[in-house]
Amino acid sequence: MVFRNFEFFSKKKYEKNTENRREKICGKVLNNILLSDKKRGSNKEIYHVEISVQNEVKYLPGDSIGVFPENSSNEIHDIIEYILRNRKKKGSEINIFNLFKKEFNIFNLSDNFLKKYSFLSEKKNIPSNRKWKLIDLLKEFPIKKEFSLRDLIKIMEPIKPRLYSISSSPKAHYNEIHITVSRHSFQLNGETVYGHCSDFLSKLKEGEKLSFFIYRNQLFRLPKNSEKDIILIGPGTGIAPFRSFLYEREAIEATGKNWLFFGDQHFYSDFLYQTEIQNWKKKGVLNRISLSFSRDQEKKIYVQDKIWENRIEFFSWIKNGAYIYVCGKKNPMSIDVEKMIFRVIEEVGGCDPESFMKEMKKHGRYLKDVY
Ligand SMILES: Cc1cc2nc3c(=O)[nH]c(=O)nc-3n(C[C@H](O)[C@H](O)[C@H](O)COP(=O)(O)OP(=O)(O)OC[C@H]3O[C@@H](n4cnc5c(N)ncnc54)[C@H](O)[C@@H]3O)c2cc1C
């Protein structure tokens, strides 16, 4: 199957990259570990998911996987029961169940779908300013008796995959892919609701299967020359590809220096991969670590503040050819980080930041993977 319908990352970038015309891969969960801890005061739920794969699956540090979430069985039972009510049962219910569970998007229905659905519905004027779930739509705008389940299936849209940066390294984790997933939550009509894919991933148990593809990102690669220094700026789940980078640099015994900027809300509950990071520091794989935990003191401190605090050394690294990598939230994190890098170049280096950065980008030394 070739994927055409992506909203979650640059369509242009995706389509240019013919390597990404990939088949679905089936993986099995080895471990699913909660890294952040609400009991310790975290406001987040971040999971480290380890997936076992067959040896043909090739990837490089910097790649992501595109995961196809499945729908919850309870929700599908409700939908099928509702559709089949007062209708002659046609086809196997099992097949229908699997289609709705694995193939069709039933949340956050698109305007295009709502338009098509309105032709099947007894009542018109479905409000489009609301985010619809299929079950609510079926209840509030029932399908006319003359239309069958097949007519509904014809207009269903496929589940869209979501991307997750790979946090393992093929050199260190044989036949495994690791990802770092933040379970999205938001309020809807006074209730806490969870993001479809991150919720699906957070609930996967050891031995359960999932479908995904490898999203190759040629624009986010380690320097070919392993003697080059790298600066990794990845707060929150932005740490994921840098865990992969550091395992890789350790495995290939790269001689370039590594400097990690990591941050989150609280040291005690949100320091993702703390033990591994501290071990890398002990072993000398990490030459520098700069940590910022925004809510552990009255004044919030972010990764960009740590860049400023270490501005002289930071400029000296980039002047000497270090590569800068930024991963995590596009807004505001990557914007604030970029502004700070500009400031350091201008105020510490006395250079024109526009042309300095242009030069860095030209040589592939300023790379971002933000979302
Ligand atoms: C290149 C790239 C790399 C990424 N890497 C990572 C990573 O390493 N780790 C990670 O955790 N994430 C990563 N992401 C983000 C990830 O792909 C998903 O976007 C994220 O997990 C949310 O997906 P979801 O299916 O859980 O939420 P969705 O169901 O897609 O919901 C997303 C948002 O839409 C809104 N929404 C959805 N449904 C409704 C509704 N019914 N009513 C009102 N609002 C609604 C909410 O604001 C919600 O938070 C990456 C993204 C990209 C592009």
Side-chain angles (χ1 to χ4, degrees):
M1 181 182 177
V2 174
F3 314 109
R4 271 163 265 117
N5 210 356
F6 288 92
E7 283 181 359
F8 298 94
F9 52 93
S10 161
K11 223 176 150 192
K12 246 191 194 163
K13 200 165 99 183
Y14 174 78
E15 281 169 355
K16 257 194 205 166
N17 191 347
T18 47
E19 271 193 275
N20 279 318
R21 294 170 162 271
R22 290 269 159 189
E23 300 295 315
K24 275 189 192 179
I25 298 166
C26 181
K28 204 190 250 183
V29 174
L30 286 171
N31 267 308
N32 194 349
I33 303 160
L34 180 63
L35 297 180
S36 57
D37 195 342
K38 286 205 167 166
K39 283 188 216 128
R40 287 177 162 215
S42 178
N43 295 313
K44 302 181 179 182
E45 271 182 66
I46 313 247
Y47 293 83
H48 170 73
V49 186
E50 296 183 352
I51 304 159
S52 98
V53 287
Q54 296 302 311
N55 48 8
E56 309 89 64
V57 176
K58 289 202 171 70
Y59 69 91
L60 286 173
D63 288 342
S64 299
I65 60 170
V67 176
F68 294 87
E70 291 183 10
N71 293 314
S72 101
S73 298
N74 288 347
E75 192 101 15
I76 302 304
H77 278 301
D78 288 353
I79 288 172
I80 292 181
E81 197 191 300
Y82 206 86
I83 305 171
L84 293 181
R85 202 178 286 166
N86 304 328
R87 279 190 175 79
K88 276 188 198 158
K89 294 187 186 182
K90 281 183 194 164
S92 149
E93 269 186 52
I94 305 273
N95 287 343
I96 297 165
F97 183 87
N98 279 335
L99 269 178
F100 276 90
K101 187 162 174 60
K102 295 187 178 181
E103 304 292 337
F104 296 150
N105 176 46
I106 58 166
F107 297 112
N108 218 349
L109 300 167
S110 73
D111 289 344
N112 196 27
F113 174 84
L114 294 179
K115 213 188 274 173
K116 289 182 190 162
Y117 183 91
S118 67
F119 289 105
L120 307 182
S121 151
E122 282 169 7
K123 298 193 275 172
K124 296 292 160 211
N125 301 324
I126 301 169
S128 59
N129 57 353
R130 182 174 150 188
K131 305 255 185 189
W132 284 99
K133 276 169 49 166
L134 183 60
I135 187 69
D136 296 338
L137 199 59
L138 289 166
K139 285 178 185 167
E140 291 182 42
F141 291 85
I143 294 175
K144 285 182 202 162
K145 292 265 156 31
E146 71 215 59
F147 291 115
S148 66
L149 178 59
R150 195 179 287 261
D151 294 307
L152 176 66
I153 286 174
K154 268 189 209 153
I155 65 163
M156 291 305 298
E157 292 179 347
I159 293 179
K160 288 172 188 155
R162 272 72 159 176
L163 291 183
Y164 295 90
S165 311
I166 297 178
S167 55
S168 49
S169 141
K171 293 214 167 57
H173 307 98
Y174 184 66
N175 280 0
E176 288 180 21
I177 287 179
H178 302 174
I179 51 173
T180 314
V181 181
S182 169
R183 188 182 184 208
H184 266 230
S185 66
F186 51 99
Q187 293 298 312
L188 195 61
N189 310 322
E191 260 184 72
T192 303
V193 183
Y194 295 97
H196 187 192
C197 194
S198 55
D199 186 46
F200 163 74
L201 287 166
S202 74
K203 289 176 178 157
L204 283 176
K205 304 238 171 353
E206 193 186 320
E208 286 185 324
K209 289 183 177 163
L210 73 158
S211 292
F212 64 90
F213 62 96
I214 304 286
Y215 175 72
R216 301 190 195 285
N217 189 350
Q218 305 295 8
L219 305 175
F220 203 68
R221 291 280 184 248
L222 279 165
K224 285 203 176 82
N225 178 351
S226 62
E227 289 169 8
K228 297 283 178 194
D229 300 340
I230 57 173
I231 300 175
L232 311 170
I233 307 166
T237 52
I239 185 74
F242 302 146
R243 181 177 179 267
S244 169
F245 279 20
L246 290 167
Y247 269 116
E248 184 83 3
R249 297 264 281 188
E250 182 179 20
I252 61 170
E253 298 179 5
T255 52
K257 290 185 288 174
N258 305 310
W259 185 352
L260 175 69
F261 285 83
F262 174 74
D264 213 308
Q265 291 185 349
H266 302 288
F267 174 89
Y268 192 53
S269 54
D270 302 315
F271 191 170
L272 311 179
Y273 303 113
Q274 179 181 0
T275 316
E276 283 160 290
I277 289 172
Q278 284 169 338
N279 278 339
W280 278 319
K281 182 76 178 78
K282 257 191 228 155
K283 289 196 262 185
V285 174
L286 263 174
N287 302 81
R288 296 217 51 178
I289 311 176
S290 297
L291 300 170
S292 53
F293 293 96
S294 60
R295 300 195 188 180
D296 279 349
Q297 59 287 306
E298 213 170 302
K299 187 177 175 287
K300 291 197 174 142
I301 301 171
Y302 297 108
V303 279
Q304 62 270 22
D305 300 311
K306 287 287 161 181
I307 295 176
W308 185 245
E309 200 180 295
N310 295 283
R311 56 193 176 276
I312 295 179
E313 211 176 342
F314 190 93
F315 184 72
S316 147
W317 277 51
I318 53 174
K319 197 171 150 243
N320 290 329
Y323 285 55
I324 301 178
Y325 296 85
V326 184
C327 183
K329 284 260 169 338
K330 185 175 192 171
N331 195 1
M333 187 280 291
S334 72
I335 295 165
D336 292 341
V337 162
E338 188 160 301
K339 276 189 201 152
M340 187 56 84
I341 299 173
F342 268 62
R343 191 174 162 201
V344 170
I345 294 167
E346 190 166 26
E347 294 186 26
V348 179
C351 307
D352 170 35
E354 293 282 351
S355 47
F356 194 100
M357 285 294 254
K358 206 170 151 196
E359 203 53 25
M360 282 195 74
K361 282 184 194 165
K362 198 173 115 190
H363 294 99
R365 286 179 43 222
Y366 179 57
L367 303 173
K368 292 189 283 185
D369 194 17
V370 293
Y371 42 89

